């Protein structure tokens, strides 16, 4: 609230549509840089398709490695969209306005990336239709007892819900873009804006749709990462077979997701020159939210360890010993805690740090590095456990191909965000104008206090 | 089976199909009535979670699978008295506490009233809430 700026409608239109209408040099620089990440990923995937899964470090024992870790990571990142958008919309938090669309679009691209990962991981995705249980001539029926059936159901429900959410909120802005465009762009925006004219009835329906979608997508948000966690939780692999996984994964997803939104907002502020909209207040609010979320994550992290040790099952203890005593897992365990909690949270306690955008950008990246390692620590050590049958002993070393596939996924999301912000305003124009209208001041004694007109 | 059905209806079906109606949700009595249903349902869920598993004899716990399903444990008179007494006790403690501690925070209400204003906006009245940092 302290960074409140008074902006006119024309200024809001101009500033938020500037990047849509103009293509500065930095767009092309970013396109090339992020495109090269994407390109390296495409090359790595192509090598894997041509030469087979043998070019990765995977083996029949440790069958899930970097690619599945990446899958879980991106599903986690996708939770930020709903966290920020739906929950803050329902709570009528004013600071959500600049961040909702960016978070929702991040959800869409990260979910898409996550959905691609298992297909790439198959090694021969052109045969993926073999597992589709809908050709009754082959007699293959859906195995509804398998989490691999629950997964795509949850992911596609969430993806379609978020896409609807983004589109409904985008309608007024598409109309503004239509009215300011000429040529093919006008036709493009006109088709997408579905004849939006800004009549009271349209606004009423749009508002109701937004509220309903916010409320309906919340249970989906909880269910998606719970279901992804059950890919591991319903197995009998030591370290995976834990009942704590659903809330643990969800809170980890919120932690990494909101940190990613932080990274994204800083990048958008610098790239799109949105200083009037993405203010230090936003980072302050996100930082405070992250203190609570990170603390909850640490609680579940410790709980997961506690439950593992409490049962005193030899298999479980052996995996814990692997995690805590053997390199590189012990180093990753320490780094996870340091990067996920010990560095960020004490820094976030300071207002000066929360309002410093560069600091928040760096810290949020460190958090996501820690969270990526946390997912790796959950997935791989359990598979490396050495049971009594020596033929079933395996180890895992990621190959360059897998590393570049992971790098490529960052390219997918980055390019998606960049191209989206080139065609559509990344900050909702209608929301920004509504925020200006609802901003007010009240006098309490001799002090003038910022206020909000309650909807 | 019965606790599960009670829990499902009381925790999900009744709250959902009552609270979707604006007159019920906006009334003073509606949400509290639904919340009582939720508490009953949550209690039934706890019964479902604990009573069955605790009914399994110790020797059966060593098996990998449950071979003998234990008989349903119906609550006897003492159980019912304990439940009623415990809930009443909790309510009693809360009532006694309200004699000593004001249940509604006085300073927060005063702060809220300071930050709450109404004013004219266009042709209607709107509520304005102060948001001090």
């Amino acid at each position: 609230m302290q960074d409140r700026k008074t902006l006119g409608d024309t200024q809001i239109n101009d500033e938020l549509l500037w990047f849509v209408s103009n293509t500065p040099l930095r767009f092309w620089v970013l396109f090339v840089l992020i495109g090269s990440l994407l390109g390296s990923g495409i090359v790595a995937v192509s090598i894997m398709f041509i030469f087979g899964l043998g070019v990765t470090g995977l083996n029949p024992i440790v069958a899930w490695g970097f690619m599945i870790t990446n899958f879980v990571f991106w599903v986690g990142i996708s939770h930020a969209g709903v966290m920020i958008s739906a929950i803050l919309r329902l709570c009528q938090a004013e600071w959500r306005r600049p961040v909702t669309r960016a978070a929702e679009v991040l959800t869409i691209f990260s979910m898409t990336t996550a959905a691609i990962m298992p297909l790439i991981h198959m090694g021969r995705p052109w045969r993926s239709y073999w597992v589709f249980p809908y050709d009754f001539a082959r007699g293959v029926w859906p195995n509804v007892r398998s989490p691999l059936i629950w997964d795509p159901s949850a992911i596609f429900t969430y993806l379609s819900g978020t896409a609807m959410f983004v589109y409904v909120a985008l309608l007024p802005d598409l109309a503004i873009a239509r009215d300011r465009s000429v040529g093919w762009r006008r036709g493009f925006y006109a088709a997408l804006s579905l004849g939006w004219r800004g009549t009271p009835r349209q606004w009423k329906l749009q508002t109701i749709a937004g509220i309903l979608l916010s409320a309906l997508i919340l249970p989906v948000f909880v269910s998606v990462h719970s279901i992804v966690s059950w890919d591991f939780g319903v197995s009998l692999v030591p370290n995976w077979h834990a009942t704590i996984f659903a809330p643990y994964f969800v809170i980890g997803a919120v932690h990494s997701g909101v940190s990613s939104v932080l990274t994204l907002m800083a990048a958008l502020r610098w790239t799109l020159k949105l200083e009037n909209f993405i203010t230090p207040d936003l980072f302050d609010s996100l930082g405070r939210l992250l203190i609570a979320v990170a603390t909850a994550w640490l609680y579940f992290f410790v709980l997961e360890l506690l439950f593992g040790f409490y049962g005193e099952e030899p298999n479980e203890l052996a995996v814990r010993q692997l995690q805590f005593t053997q390199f590189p897992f012990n180093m990753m365990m320490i780094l996870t805690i340091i990067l996920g909690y010990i560095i960020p949270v004490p820094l976030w306690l300071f207002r000066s740090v929360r309002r410093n955008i560069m600091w928040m950008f760096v810290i949020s990246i460190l958090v996501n590095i820690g969270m990526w390692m946390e997912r790796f620590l959950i997935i791989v050590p359990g598979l490396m456990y050495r049971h009594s049958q020596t033929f079933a002993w395996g180890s895992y070393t990621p190959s360059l191909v897998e590393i570049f596939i992971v790098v490529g996924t960052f390219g997918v999301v980055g390019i998606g965000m960049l191209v989206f912000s080139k065609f559509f305003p990344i900050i909702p124009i209608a929301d920004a104008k509504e925020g200006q209208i609802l901003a007010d001041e009240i006098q309490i004694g001799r002090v003038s206090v910022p206020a909000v007109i309650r909807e | 089976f019965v606790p599960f059905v009670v829990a499902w209806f009381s925790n999900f079906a009744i709250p959902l199909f009552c609270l979707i109606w604006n007159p019920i949700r906006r009334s003073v009595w509606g949400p509290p009535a639904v919340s009582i249903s939720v508490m009953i349902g949550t209690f039934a869920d706890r019964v479902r979670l604990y009573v069955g598993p605790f009914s399994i004899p110790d020797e059966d716990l060593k098996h990998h699978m449950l071979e003998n399903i234990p008989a349903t444990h119906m609550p006897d008179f003492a159980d019912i008295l304990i439940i009623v007494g415990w809930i009443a006790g909790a309510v009693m403690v809360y009532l006694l506490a309200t004699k000593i501690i004001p249940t509604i925070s006085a300073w927060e209400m005063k702060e809220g009233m300071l930050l709450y204003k109404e004013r004219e906006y266009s042709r209607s009245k709107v509520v304005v809430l102060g948001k001090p940092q």
Side-chain angles (χ1 to χ4, degrees):
Chain A
M1 307 300 288
Q2 293 179 349
D3 297 337
R4 185 182 278 178
K5 292 177 165 57
T6 305
L7 304 167
D9 285 358
T10 311
Q11 186 183 2
I12 292 174
N13 284 346
D14 290 342
E15 289 192 20
L16 293 181
L17 286 172
W18 187 87
F19 198 71
V20 174
S21 317
N22 301 280
T23 311
L25 178 64
R26 58 183 182 274
F27 171 81
W28 294 115
V29 170
L30 277 172
F31 192 84
V32 166
L33 283 173
I34 301 173
S36 59
L37 297 181
L38 175 61
S40 66
I42 292 174
V43 167
V45 168
S46 306
I47 291 173
M48 198 176 76
F49 286 167
I50 295 169
F51 295 105
L53 276 173
V55 300
T56 68
L58 299 171
N59 50 71
I61 312 305
V62 186
W64 285 1
F66 260 37
M67 285 188 272
I68 294 297
T69 305
N70 210 39
F71 161 71
V72 179
F73 176 75
W74 285 114
V75 172
I77 300 280
S78 71
H79 274 53
V82 167
M83 179 75 195
I84 300 286
S85 196
I87 293 177
L88 295 184
R89 190 186 300 262
L90 291 174
C91 296
Q92 296 181 330
E94 282 298 306
W95 59 271
R96 77 179 188 278
R97 294 183 189 283
V99 86
T100 50
R101 185 169 297 154
E104 290 157 13
V105 174
L106 177 65
T107 292
I108 290 176
F109 287 118
S110 53
M111 268 312 225
T112 310
T113 308
I116 291 169
M117 288 311 304
L119 280 176
I120 295 174
H121 190 254
M122 287 176 84
R124 292 186 292 189
W126 51 90
R127 294 189 181 174
S128 61
Y129 72 93
W130 285 8
V131 305
F132 289 172
Y134 306 115
D135 179 3
F136 300 131
R138 287 202 296 277
V140 179
W141 293 88
N143 179 12
V144 293
R145 296 176 66 183
S146 167
L148 298 181
I149 292 290
W150 313 333
D151 250 359
S153 313
I155 287 174
F156 286 114
T157 306
Y158 190 43
L159 194 54
S160 51
T162 309
M164 272 195 290
F165 204 6
V166 170
Y167 189 46
V168 162
L170 201 50
L171 285 170
D173 294 358
L174 289 169
I176 296 174
R178 171 199 64 201
D179 296 339
R180 289 166 62 106
S181 305
V182 292
W184 68 267
R185 284 176 179 269
R186 190 179 179 88
F188 173 66
Y189 291 121
L192 287 175
S193 58
L194 303 179
W196 179 272
R197 290 283 175 259
T199 62
R201 179 175 158 73
Q202 285 177 339
W203 276 116
K204 182 182 170 188
L205 289 174
Q206 198 251 11
T207 307
I208 292 172
I211 293 169
L212 277 177
L213 280 167
S214 301
L216 289 172
I217 211 163
L218 278 177
V220 179
F221 150 70
V222 175
S223 73
V224 169
H225 219 38
S226 300
I227 286 169
V228 169
S229 77
W230 292 334
D231 284 344
F232 310 98
V234 300
S235 73
L236 295 175
V237 174
N239 193 44
W240 285 11
H241 188 60
T243 49
I244 197 70
F245 266 25
Y248 176 38
F249 271 54
V250 171
I251 200 68
V254 173
H255 189 22
S256 61
V258 179
S259 301
S260 304
V261 168
L262 239 170
T263 313
L264 178 65
M265 297 318 291
L268 286 173
R269 178 182 155 111
W270 293 326
T271 313
L272 276 63
K273 308 274 185 236
L274 293 171
E275 291 85 3
N276 284 333
F277 302 92
I278 303 175
T279 59
D281 254 356
L282 173 67
F283 294 90
D284 192 355
S285 305
L286 282 170
R288 283 184 277 172
L289 172 64
L290 276 166
I291 293 170
V293 168
T295 308
W297 170 77
L298 184 73
Y299 170 65
F300 279 103
F301 181 83
V302 171
L303 270 187
E304 195 239 339
L305 294 177
L306 190 72
F307 292 164
F309 286 120
Y310 182 79
E312 290 188 356
E313 282 187 17
N315 303 347
E316 183 79 27
L317 291 177
V319 174
R320 297 296 173 187
Q321 191 183 22
L322 178 66
Q323 280 180 329
F324 282 94
T325 60
Q326 285 203 35
F327 183 83
F329 301 108
N330 52 358
M331 182 196 70
M332 293 173 90
M333 181 68 82
I334 294 168
L335 278 176
T336 298
I337 302 170
I338 290 175
L339 297 178
Y341 194 83
I342 294 178
I343 290 178
V345 174
L347 288 173
W348 283 332
L349 292 173
F350 293 97
R351 195 164 171 273
S352 55
V353 171
R354 289 197 305 269
R355 295 182 70 86
N356 184 313
I357 295 169
M358 179 54 82
W359 268 106
M360 293 299 272
F361 178 73
V362 169
I363 295 170
S364 60
I365 290 176
L366 292 180
V367 167
N368 274 315
I369 294 171
M371 294 308 293
W372 202 98
M373 283 192 219
E374 182 231 17
R375 271 64 177 254
F376 185 81
L377 276 172
I378 290 169
I379 293 172
V380 173
L383 292 170
M384 283 178 62
Y385 162 66
R386 296 188 164 180
H387 358 68
S388 50
Q389 290 93 7
T390 55
F391 64 81
W393 290 7
S395 63
Y396 175 70
T397 308
S399 66
L400 273 179
V401 166
E402 287 170 288
I403 292 170
F404 278 107
I405 288 174
V406 169
V407 165
T409 56
F410 286 87
V412 171
V413 174
I415 283 285
M417 293 299 310
L418 189 65
V419 172
F420 183 91
S421 56
K422 190 72 199 78
F423 286 96
F424 308 103
I426 199 67
I427 291 179
I429 299 174
D431 256 12
K433 289 177 182 170
E434 186 187 50
Q436 292 289 316
I437 292 169
L438 295 180
D440 202 353
E441 263 184 11
I442 57 172
Q443 213 56 34
I444 301 176
R446 284 177 293 178
V447 176
S448 189
V449 175
V452 166
I453 297 173
R454 221 1 144 213
E455 297 170 66
Chain B
F1 179 67
V2 169
F4 171 74
V5 170
V6 169
W8 192 88
F9 272 100
S10 303
N11 275 343
F12 175 69
I14 292 173
L16 177 68
F17 292 110
C18 288
L19 293 177
I20 53 176
W21 301 105
N22 286 352
I24 297 177
R25 202 176 60 251
R26 289 177 184 165
S27 65
V28 173
W29 56 267
V34 167
S35 70
I36 290 172
S37 161
V38 170
M39 281 191 277
I40 293 169
T42 309
F43 186 82
D45 206 39
R46 296 288 158 250
V47 167
R48 177 186 69 85
L49 281 171
Y50 299 127
V51 173
F54 276 129
S55 303
I56 300 171
D58 287 346
E59 48 275 12
D60 285 353
L61 285 173
K62 298 182 181 62
H63 300 295
H64 179 65
M65 286 176 3
L66 190 64
E67 289 164 10
N68 305 307
I69 295 177
T72 306
H73 174 86
M74 297 299 290
D76 54 19
F77 188 57
D79 288 333
I80 294 171
L81 280 184
I82 289 171
I83 292 166
V84 169
W86 214 257
I87 293 171
V91 173
M92 170 74 92
V93 167
Y94 192 85
L95 266 177
L96 290 173
T98 57
K99 290 298 290 175
I100 308 165
I101 307 163
T103 43
I104 295 177
S105 170
W107 73 265
E108 283 208 54
M109 289 303 294
K110 287 179 187 170
E111 188 195 33
M113 287 161 71
L114 274 178
L115 295 173
Y116 179 97
K117 299 265 188 283
E118 281 187 9
R119 70 172 185 85
E120 300 283 332
Y121 187 89
S122 192
R123 282 176 291 183
S124 60
K125 256 194 165 129
V126 293
V127 168
V128 182
L129 280 181
K131 297 255 183 185
Q133 279 290 328

